[in-house]
Amino acid sequence: MNKPRRKWRKILYGNEGYPDNYTDVSFLDEMKKNINMHQVTLKEAILGAGLVTQEFCLVVLFIVIFMYLHNGWLPLELILAQTGVVSLFCYVICIYNESGRLRHVRTVLVFFIFGYILSPVLKTLTESISTDTIYATTVFMMSVHLIFFDYGVKALIVSSSLSLNSAIFGAICLSSRLPSSFHVFILLCLTVECFVMLPLVLAKVEGSFGTLFTLTCLTVYSLWTVSFTMTVLFVLVVLFINVLCPVWFLKWYRYKENIYGPWDEAVVVPLASSES
């Protein structure tokens, strides 16, 4: 005679007579949905998309100033003075309430000295490559910079080192199309300002509508002095990122479901936490 089977229990051993993949109706009793799910508001969605717009504006401003350098539309001394003022402002904000200010000053001096010395080398580094290839490579590198930039979201695709190196490589490619080594030195200073210092400053002041509006308006005005068509295209891209994408996100976010259950990996709870 067959012995009656014991009642199945959710334990590792002791369920003799049951297949390894057997479960009963009680298996789904512990299933939970959307635990600690944060409800995103329209303001949060717009400011989150604004982080992408801010970095996109920095890339566009960098390209616009490169065009000014390349075509000689402004005196070099004026561009260098403006770059120095903005860099000094960013530097003061970055080291505010930090110790070791003398160390930072030495770092800046070393950068300026070696940057000026290596400017002739950077100018001739990609000089033999065709201009079309240089511009295509720069567009690709700046796109990589925007894709892998750290916008404050924990994701596997985020890589601050890859993002920064891509922007620097794109700037080095453009440096070979400038008239002189002094132009290259100014472009190098501008690269550090746009892709190192300004992102740190924007991260310190955090996202706000005022910062986003000011940076966008400055980019629109600068781009309008170069090309009306590119200005219209830039405005359309900004509207897509900051208006249409947040609306789509909020529309689809309500359908999101995170399911938790006994199939998840076990989490060891510390003894102190369990006693409290």
Side-chain angles (χ1 to χ4, degrees), residues 68-93:
Y68 272 79
L69 287 171
H70 181 265
N71 296 315
W73 291 341
L74 283 178
L76 294 181
E77 294 75 11
L78 178 60
I79 298 178
L80 181 61
Q82 292 176 347
T83 304
V85 170
V86 176
S87 299
L88 180 62
F89 173 75
C90 296
Y91 179 76
V92 171
I93 294 179

Side-chain angles (χ1 to χ4, degrees), residues 171-190:
I172 292 176
C173 291
L174 292 177
S175 62
S176 62
R177 296 303 178 262
L178 294 176
S180 66
S181 300
F182 189 57
H183 287 76
V184 175
F185 174 69
I186 296 177
L187 186 68
L188 184 62
C189 297
L190 181 66

